[in-house]
Amino acid sequence: MSVFYTSNGQNQTNVPKDNIKSETKDIVTSYLPNAAARNIKKGRNGTILIAASFAGVFRYDGKSFTNLTSKIGSHRFWDVLEDRRGNIWFATTDSGVYYYNGKSLPTGQAGFQHFTTREGLADNRVMSIYEDRAGIIWFGTGGGVSRYDGKSFRNFTTKEGLSNNDLTTITEDKTGKLWFGTRGEACFYDGKTFTVFRNKAGKAFNNVWSIIEDRKGNIWFGDNGLWRYDGNTFTKVSQRGVYAIIEDKKGNIWTTGAVNPPNMMVWALSRYDQKSLYNKKPTVTEIMSGGPAFLGILEANDGSIWFSAPGGVYRYDGKTITDFKSKDGQK
């Protein structure tokens, strides 16, 4: 994947932010435009948020799709987050981060707030957004990790011990440790020290794009395979490649990724049965396969599984796969 890098900025506090104001109404459609949907996340009140690259970021309310970024213009949107206060954050790989509280800015002006290296963001290429248990927002960028407390940024790079400055994913476990996937070695941060996680042979895990903690406290992540860490031992659960991982309400593990890495031609949505997760060979069901990629994934409130792809989004209700490329959807 080719991307353009931008230079890092210095940490800054209380820097005036750009305000984008427009009278243009949000664009509402009954279907999602044919676009590369990179990430798919839960919003509030059962809504679903979709970062669909240059097409924009969309919210699905069960009936229609609303383009939340039509007032911003065309950017390469990669990730989206609705935080606990209802604020929505949009990550781009070409223009930093946009913030919208749904009503108005703290200044009283309507519109969006824009954060770039000028305001203290580590880099304008942002791949991941995460809110920790304290309500702090973390950004995984192409130039390190940025921590935003609502007032100022604090950046972490290899100078502070981060294993690699090119971030892909961020998550927090029950103990408060933050786990970072990068295009280099993956690591975790205990609030003081960054530690690269390695297997028994001392080999680090590289190019990790997704990390989750399951309800039992196990850490799951993927490189050219699916791995589980129980706090002591790393176990390779599957040879299938992993781009995204979730645990559903029943305890099943779902992944998207290449079926036979390093061959990246065929990707799949796969389900690992919770009853056999700890067997030597867990039961894996391939729900859908094809190419060139399946990317983000989530479980909706109704139990359906949503996953994104370069051509849009799909919903699997346990029996039928529905896409949203046409007005009525295609099954």
Side-chain angles (χ1 to χ4, degrees):
M1 190 188 319
S2 60
V3 294
F4 292 97
Y5 288 80
T6 54
S7 60
N8 291 350
Q10 299 296 316
N11 292 1
Q12 299 181 35
T13 306
N14 298 325
V15 178
K17 317 300 190 296
D18 290 338
N19 295 330
I20 297 91
K21 295 187 291 183
S22 173
E23 297 302 320
T24 305
K25 294 182 178 180
D26 290 332
I27 298 174
V28 182
T29 61
S30 57
Y31 63 96
L32 188 70
N34 186 8
R38 292 290 176 181
N39 275 299
I40 182 166
K41 300 289 181 68
K42 275 189 177 182
R44 303 178 82 185
N45 303 317
T47 58
I48 292 172
L49 301 170
I50 303 155
S53 197
F54 291 106
V57 178
F58 293 81
R59 178 167 54 203
Y60 181 68
D61 62 4
K63 296 180 180 180
S64 59
F65 294 89
T66 301
N67 188 336
L68 302 176
T69 55
S70 57
K71 299 173 185 177
I72 297 175
S74 179
H75 293 284
R76 194 183 186 203
F77 294 98
W78 196 277
D79 200 6
V80 58
L81 168 76
E82 186 166 7
D83 67 27
R84 65 190 64 184
R85 300 176 184 86
N87 307 310
I88 305 178
W89 300 82
F90 310 102
T92 79
T93 60
D94 56 11
S95 188
V97 175
Y98 290 87
Y99 158 96
Y100 182 52
N101 68 8
K103 296 179 181 179
S104 62
L105 299 176
T107 59
Q109 295 175 295
F112 291 81
Q113 203 164 350
H114 190 196
F115 297 98
T116 66
T117 55
R118 185 178 62 185
E119 286 73 44
L121 193 65
D123 193 275
N124 288 336
R125 183 167 66 86
V126 183
M127 307 287 286
S128 180
I129 314 174
Y130 186 80
E131 181 183 21
D132 69 19
R133 64 182 64 187
I136 302 297
I137 307 297
W138 296 77
F139 303 101
T141 82
V145 175
S146 291
R147 177 187 183 275
Y148 183 65
D149 62 7
K151 296 180 180 179
S152 63
F153 288 91
R154 180 184 177 190
N155 296 328
F156 300 87
T157 67
T158 52
K159 293 180 180 180
E160 288 72 41
L162 185 66
S163 59
N164 188 286
N165 285 340
D166 204 346
L167 275 291
T168 55
T169 188
I170 304 170
T171 197
E172 182 183 26
D173 68 20
K174 295 174 183 176
T175 69
K177 287 198 294 286
L178 286 160
W179 297 71
F180 301 103
T182 81
R183 290 178 185 262
E185 298 175 334
C187 65
F188 62 82
Y189 177 61
D190 63 6
K192 296 180 180 179
T193 306
F194 289 91
T195 303
V196 174
F197 46 106
R198 304 176 184 275
N199 61 22
K200 284 185 178 180
K203 184 180 178 181
F205 298 92
N206 289 277
N207 203 31
V208 172
W209 283 82
S210 184
I211 306 174
I212 68 163
E213 182 182 37
D214 68 20
R215 63 193 66 187
K216 295 181 179 179
N218 297 303
I219 302 297
W220 295 78
F221 60 94
D223 50 10
N224 285 333
L226 177 63
W227 292 84
R228 180 181 63 239
Y229 177 61
D230 64 5
N232 295 301
T233 304
F234 291 95
T235 301
K236 192 166 189 178
V237 177
S238 173
Q239 299 290 338
R240 287 173 175 257
V242 174
Y243 181 88
I245 312 170
I246 64 165
E247 180 189 27
D248 70 17
K249 297 172 184 176
K250 297 178 181 178
N252 302 308
I253 297 294
W254 296 73
T255 66
T256 56
V259 174
N260 295 302
N263 182 347
M264 306 298 284
M265 297 302 294
V266 180
W267 289 51
L269 169 69
S270 305
R271 181 185 64 217
Y272 294 79
D273 190 331
Q274 61 89 16
K275 294 180 181 179
S276 65
L277 278 179
Y278 295 90
N279 294 352
K280 198 167 185 179
K281 290 187 177 180
T283 301
V284 184
T285 303
E286 197 170 280
I287 304 301
M288 184 176 179
S289 63
F294 297 132
L295 303 170
I297 183 173
L298 71 77
E299 181 183 25
N301 286 354
D302 63 3
S304 62
I305 302 297
W306 287 66
F307 56 107
S308 61
V313 293
Y314 300 84
R315 180 182 62 205
Y316 176 61
D317 63 6
K319 297 180 179 179
T320 304
I321 296 173
T322 303
D323 72 34
F324 295 90
K325 295 178 183 178
S326 66
K327 185 175 181 179
D328 299 320
Q330 300 172 0
K331 294 187 178 181

